[in-house]
Amino acid sequence: MAETTDLSKGLPSHPEKATLEGKNKFLGFWVFLAGETTMFATFFGTYLGLRNGTGSGPEAADIFSLPLVFIMTMILLTSSLTSVFAMFAMKKNQFKKMKIWMWVTVALGTAFLGFEIYEFVEYVHYGLGFTTSAFASSFYALVGLHGAHVLFGLCWISLLLIRYNKSGITLTNAPKFYVASLYWHFIDVVWIFIFTVVYLMGIGG
Amino acid sequence: MGENLSQPFEKSSMTPEEIRKINREQRIQTIAFGFMIAITLLAFIAVGADVVPGSFAIPFILGLAGIQLFLQLYYFMHLKDKDHGWPNTFIVSGIVLVIPTIVALMLLIGVTKY
């Protein structure tokens, strides 16, 4: 509880873990992330099992565009760094700085999502619908699930930023911002394996 | 106490020593980010420009992804810091489960095709 933390000197150096609630959120969120890891594994396994089942539809190497994936990867990697900066600002009680970095993260995430939608629309034009082939279904399910996570993360962080726009960093909202940033990093971790396993192996292997 | 929790603070309680430490940490993380960019570039170049021979390309890019996973988890997500014993336990058990899951699915629906 907060009784055990000395608040008279100002914001504790780890505001996200200064209260019991914060500690519980932190621990619970890691359990959730471990569960998410396993869930994504089933989608990756399904994709890897079915990726050669293209039937009469287009193949991975025919449609994937390396430059587009490269841009998307750079955008998401950078957004991971900006949320790291936001958390450093939070620990130093620099509320304005934290808000700016978080909004930059949201902007980069939105750009990423825009590229992904553009990409999917493009693939549908190439004749790769969700039900075209086993490859198509498992591809859209895996990458779409990741995209849905990005969308959820964007809504989550934006809501937090709007809700706490004027409140400053408190012991109530610090754990919330912290787990949201952990979630954002996790999205990036999943993307590392998507660009490697789906795109690079689709083109090179 | 309830009011205290939603009260902003005028200043940070950090000592100059702690501030020096956190600024150093921030520099380390920026360097880690530089590494990640370099690794990503390497992976894309290896596949895009065909510089790595075909059979070695897949283990090579998977290895790079592994390094990047480590950097993300242990630096950006602070798993290397103290007080992260349980998070480490959870995420490592998650990763341990991932490998048989993927192998089993690849074999069941990709190779054996029951």
Side-chain angles (χ1 to χ4, degrees), chain A residues 98-108 158 161-162 165:
Chain A
M98 184 195 86
K99 274 199 304 190
I100 292 170
W101 282 122
M102 273 303 199
W103 277 121
V104 172
T105 308
V106 169
L108 288 168
S158 308
L161 283 168
I162 294 165
N165 187 31

Side-chain angles (χ1 to χ4, degrees), chain B residues 50-64:
Chain B
D50 267 331
V51 280
V52 180
S55 54
F56 183 61
I58 290 175
F60 181 68
I61 56 175
L62 283 178
L64 291 179

